[in-house]
Amino acid sequence: MSLTQGWPETPEALPAPVVDNHCHLDHPAYSKGVEGGLLIPVDEALDRAAAVGVTRIVQVGCDLPSSQWAVDTAAAYDSVVAAVALHPNEAPGLAEAGELDSALGQIDRLAAGGEHVRAVGETGLDYFRTGVDGREAQHASFREHIRIAKRHDKTLVIHDRDAHDDVLAVLDSEGVPDRTVMHCFSGDADFARECVERGAYLSFAGTVTFKNADNLRDALRVTPLDRILVETDAPFLTPVPHRGQPNASFLIPLTVRFMAGIAGISVDDMCRAIDSNTDRAFGGTWAQRV
């Protein structure tokens, strides 16, 4: 997806607040600009989101620098909390360099932070971008992240791409943490039921609006209302009708309205469910951006 086409128009505000439970505010599309001079500082990103009812954000780390950035940003902004981890696609390279154990130790240290560090993630398995030779390292990293989440009573945020069965197998082997979020849920209705049976929250991104995503819509229909979350994974996975443009938290209303239609409930009810669910999923409320 190109991130060079500029920001989409701001949608109509939601009738009640919601939380973007997975965002990457440190991506170059925000912090350094992209071709054409696109630039959106953190303050502006948060203000634009709050103006349409997205009043809180979970900033997610994918490696050591971004995890540290998430912790620092959450400490600086009351409406932001942090998730820290090594992305599964980071694990094979770190293992090859003999640095995986050390990096995991640093994630453990970051996860021990204060109230503004709420989650360990995004961790998990990714068989799309990493081949068979990298799976052993991914599994080892995933298992240790689960242990870190339990050790510090943090929410586990799972990245699962083309690895549904193995993700469940590892979770069953290690034991599911008290709070688990399936980031950018990518399975079907059957997999949704399997995750819910294990106590997980399912987080739907802009992909649920894509024309070819019948599996996600089927999954949403069978997910109990008290287990539904919403996210951007910004600056990626921009919802229709802006697919192909950069994503941001202020576009969440498009996804929420679409989800409400699929679930057959009012937008207001969907917003209130998402907001309440996010508090439970991430261990309690935190300050809204107003």
Side-chain angles (χ1 to χ4, degrees):
M1 182 190 76
S2 170
L3 293 173
T4 62
Q5 301 177 36
W7 296 103
E9 294 182 1
T10 301
E12 179 184 353
L14 291 167
V18 299
V19 185
D20 180 357
N21 87 93
H22 197 108
C23 189
H24 301 286
L25 290 166
D26 56 327
H27 191 278
Y30 293 105
S31 60
K32 298 178 183 176
V34 298
E35 184 179 337
L38 179 64
L39 179 65
I40 180 167
V42 172
D43 276 306
E44 181 181 345
L46 297 178
D47 286 345
R48 292 178 72 172
V52 297
V54 185
T55 59
R56 296 183 288 161
I57 288 173
V58 181
Q59 168 64 23
V60 180
C62 291
D63 55 20
L64 291 177
S66 63
S67 292
Q68 183 65 63
W69 193 92
V71 171
D72 293 343
T73 301
Y77 294 92
D78 290 342
S79 61
V80 178
V81 294
V84 299
L86 307 175
H87 191 283
N89 289 329
E90 293 288 315
L94 289 167
E96 186 176 354
E99 298 174 355
L100 182 56
D101 288 345
S102 173
L104 287 167
Q106 292 181 69
I107 293 297
D108 184 53
R109 176 184 59 80
L110 290 172
E115 181 72 6
H116 58 285
V117 182
R118 295 293 182 95
V120 173
E122 59 186 285
T123 181
L125 302 176
D126 188 319
Y127 293 171
F128 180 78
R129 296 194 181 281
T130 297
V132 174
D133 58 344
R135 291 185 184 179
E136 182 178 355
Q138 284 198 353
H139 280 245
S141 179
F142 185 25
R143 288 180 182 277
E144 183 57 25
H145 278 88
I146 294 171
R147 295 165 189 164
I148 292 170
K150 290 181 175 181
R151 187 178 304 134
H152 301 293
D153 190 26
K154 304 296 183 181
T155 301
L156 182 71
V157 176
I158 297 178
H159 172 107
D160 164 28
R161 191 164 187 187
D162 295 348
H164 301 331
D165 290 344
D166 282 358
V167 163
L168 293 182
V170 172
L171 280 174
D172 290 344
S173 174
E174 291 291 329
V176 184
D178 289 341
R179 300 180 304 279
T180 300
V181 173
M182 301 300 294
H183 147 58
C184 189
F185 184 80
S186 59
D188 58 13
D190 288 340
F191 186 58
R193 293 187 184 98
E194 291 269 16
C195 294
V196 170
E197 285 177 4
R198 289 164 173 80
Y201 293 83
L202 308 191
S203 179
F204 293 88
T207 45
V208 74
T209 71
F210 293 0
K211 184 177 180 180
N212 63 347
D214 287 338
N215 64 309
L216 300 182
R217 291 184 279 276
D218 290 342
L220 177 59
R221 292 186 183 100
V222 304
T223 303
L225 184 59
D226 65 357
R227 290 287 160 174
I228 294 173
L229 304 178
V230 70
E231 66 173 90
T232 56
D233 198 22
F236 305 105
L237 307 182
T238 312
V240 173
H242 301 298
R243 185 179 182 181
Q245 294 179 267
N247 200 5
S249 297
F250 73 84
L251 295 175
I252 282 272
L254 298 172
T255 305
V256 171
R257 287 193 165 88
F258 186 91
M259 289 169 62
I262 295 299
I265 62 175
S266 71
V267 176
D268 186 73
D269 284 347
M270 180 60 81
C271 290
R272 295 182 188 281
I274 287 170
D275 203 54
S276 177
N277 295 346
T278 309
D279 286 343
R280 292 197 309 277
F282 286 90
T285 190
W286 65 95
Q288 297 187 13
R289 183 86 168 183
V290 293

